[in-house]
Amino acid sequence: MGMSVTVSAATEQDAEQILKLQFLCYQSEAELYGDYSIEPLTQPLDSLKAELTEGTVLVARLGDEVVASVRGSVGADGTARIDKLIVHPRMQRHGLGGRLLDAIESRLAADAGAKSFQLFTGHRSDRNLRLYRKHGYEPVATERVDERLSLVTLAKDVRASAFVASA
């Protein structure tokens, strides 16, 4: 019998595993845009540990191994910003990213009163864009960062979330 993946709140003890996973997962993004200086590849451990105390960070575990993670926080206006949804390459394409996205939305709405959700990805990150659209996100803005990268901001209202229908 195989192990199942469990989703839970991250702890400070997860920080190193999350950072290593983040470094692994963002290699493909860095290659896609020809930029290995992106923040997820250069983020120091202390910065990640601060995120663990300041916002909501979830992890997915397979046994003791962190195989996916996502972060989020809610601003004063009720907008939840979801960031750094990462899934280990061997675990991708099995619904884990969508499961974590649903979990962070649910947590941010229930615990922090989120009224809407917002996230961003690069304009060439087709798999990310497909996942976010599948989960009800619509593009609301595009910002050109440089000649290689434009960031696409996607958003949705909390009522469009799957967990509301099941509540």
Side-chain angles (χ1 to χ4, degrees):
M1 181 199 290
M3 287 189 276
S4 62
V5 174
T6 59
V7 175
S8 62
T11 67
E12 188 172 333
Q13 289 73 32
D14 296 321
E16 281 190 47
Q17 279 194 71
I18 294 169
L19 196 61
K20 288 176 184 176
L21 180 62
Q22 176 177 304
F23 188 83
L24 175 66
C25 292
Y26 274 92
Q27 294 296 315
S28 59
E29 292 292 301
E31 183 178 352
L32 186 59
Y33 295 100
D35 183 359
Y36 287 85
S37 67
I38 58 177
E39 188 270 344
L41 296 182
T42 60
Q43 182 178 22
L45 183 59
D46 289 345
S47 171
L48 175 58
K49 285 181 178 179
E51 289 180 14
L52 286 167
T53 61
E54 296 166 1
T56 300
V57 182
L58 300 179
V59 292
R61 296 177 206 284
L62 184 61
D64 292 333
E65 180 187 7
V66 173
V67 294
S69 181
V70 65
R71 300 171 215 175
S73 61
V74 179
D77 65 351
T79 300
R81 286 177 178 68
I82 298 172
D83 193 25
K84 294 186 180 92
L85 174 60
I86 54 175
V87 177
H88 193 288
R90 78 171 190 273
M91 302 292 291
Q92 292 176 3
R93 316 271 315 151
H94 296 287
L96 187 52
R99 187 173 156 199
L100 264 182
L101 190 57
D102 291 344
I104 194 85
E105 289 174 0
S106 179
R107 182 78 55 101
L108 293 172
D111 296 350
K115 294 177 177 53
S116 64
F117 303 106
Q118 191 175 78
L119 46 76
F120 66 88
T121 193
H123 71 287
R124 289 189 220 151
S125 302
D126 294 332
R127 286 173 64 184
N128 297 347
L129 290 165
R130 272 195 305 277
L131 172 67
Y132 301 145
R133 286 186 176 120
K134 180 180 175 184
H135 284 265
Y137 287 83
E138 296 291 334
V140 294
T142 302
E143 175 190 352
R144 185 181 168 115
V145 175
D146 59 36
E147 67 279 352
R148 295 176 294 202
L149 172 65
S150 293
L151 289 177
V152 179
T153 300
L154 299 100
K156 74 175 181 179
D157 191 76
V158 73
R159 291 183 304 262
S161 296
F163 71 87
V164 173
S166 65

